[in-house]
């Protein structure tokens, strides 16, 4: 069941052909979003700009909103934690690329496990800045029982992993 609530301010000017949505709060199954957006020309729909941010939300709740074909890819895995998101999206049909975006995702207290495995991986915090074709991520306070990695290594050679790993990772590119 999908439940949506909204508290919004919208200004539609039919003479100027503009639409502005500001100070808008949207609640989707308990996930709270703040939205500001505008379309400066409703006749051509050539431009669009939106700022979206979320309050901290449960990752499990967010994943439950994904389409079934995407959720199927996480079948057998348990994923939990918190996520807060800020993003800016700009659409201009007359430019290349047509859409540009940037933002930041803050994750904390992440826990991953695979059904049938006694292992677990945790991440204390992950700060991920993103924009078109670029990511800048800092992952801190990571820990994993190496048995969690088994589904991701080749079966050939009967590989065996054991032990614990602690890590901090920076990813750029």
């Amino acid at each position: 069941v999908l439940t949506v609530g909204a508290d919004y301010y919208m200004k539609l000017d039919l003479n100027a052909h503009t639409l502005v949505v500001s100070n808008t709060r949207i609640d989707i199954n308990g996930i709270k979003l703040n939205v500001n957006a505008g379309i400066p020309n409703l006749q051509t729909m050539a431009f669009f700009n939106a700022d979206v941010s979320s309050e901290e939300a449960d990752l499990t709740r967010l994943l439950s909103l994904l389409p079934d074909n995407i959720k199927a890819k996480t079948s057998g895995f348990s994923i939990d934690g918190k996520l807060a998101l800020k993003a800016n999206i700009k659409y201009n049909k007359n430019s290349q690329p047509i859409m540009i975006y940037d933002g930041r995702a803050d994750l904390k207290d992440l826990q991953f496990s695979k059904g049938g495995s006694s292992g677990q991986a945790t991440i204390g915090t992950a700060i991920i800045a993103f924009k078109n074709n670029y990511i800048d991520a800092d992952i801190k306070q990571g820990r994993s029982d190496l048995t969690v990695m088994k589904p991701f290594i080749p079966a050939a050679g009967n590989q065996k992993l054991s032990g614990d790993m602690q890590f901090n990772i920076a990813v750029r590119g």
Side-chain angles (χ1 to χ4, degrees):
V1 174
L2 185 65
T3 305
V4 178
D7 181 15
Y8 61 93
Y9 171 80
M10 180 178 5
K11 181 179 179 184
L12 174 61
D13 186 330
L14 296 175
N15 291 325
H17 307 288
T18 61
L19 173 68
V20 175
V21 177
S22 59
N23 301 318
T24 298
R25 293 185 50 84
I26 300 171
D27 185 315
I28 303 170
N29 286 19
I31 299 164
K32 297 180 182 354
L33 301 172
N34 299 304
V35 179
N36 292 299
I39 301 173
N41 189 332
L42 291 169
Q43 288 182 313
T44 65
M45 297 293 285
F47 306 98
F48 174 83
N49 185 35
D51 290 310
V52 180
S53 63
S54 73
E55 295 179 3
E56 189 174 90
D58 288 324
L59 212 50
T60 304
R61 185 175 285 182
L62 286 167
L63 293 173
S64 74
L65 297 175
L66 294 174
D68 289 340
N69 63 324
I70 303 293
K71 283 192 281 192
K73 294 178 182 182
T74 64
S75 177
F77 288 89
S78 171
I79 304 169
D80 199 6
K82 304 285 186 191
L83 168 72
L85 177 70
K86 291 182 182 183
N88 177 267
I89 304 159
K90 293 180 181 171
Y91 167 81
N92 179 343
K93 77 175 186 179
N94 300 317
S95 70
Q96 285 297 324
I98 290 174
M99 187 175 301
I100 59 172
Y101 58 88
D102 62 44
R104 176 179 158 145
D106 294 334
L107 296 112
K108 71 177 192 178
D109 302 328
L110 297 174
Q111 298 178 11
F112 306 92
S113 61
K114 172 131 175 68
S117 170
S118 60
Q120 179 175 330
T122 60
I123 294 173
T125 61
I127 299 170
I128 304 167
F130 57 88
K131 61 183 177 182
N132 288 51
N133 302 317
Y134 185 80
I135 190 169
D136 184 340
D138 285 309
I139 301 167
K140 305 275 187 193
Q141 301 166 335
R143 192 194 80 65
S144 179
D145 177 331
L146 292 177
T147 60
V148 171
M149 302 299 185
K150 187 172 182 174
F152 305 103
I153 62 172
N158 196 21
Q159 309 290 336
K160 294 184 181 183
L161 288 175
S162 64
D164 287 327
M165 171 176 59
Q166 295 182 0
F167 57 90
N168 293 317
I169 299 173
V171 177
R172 313 244 186 299

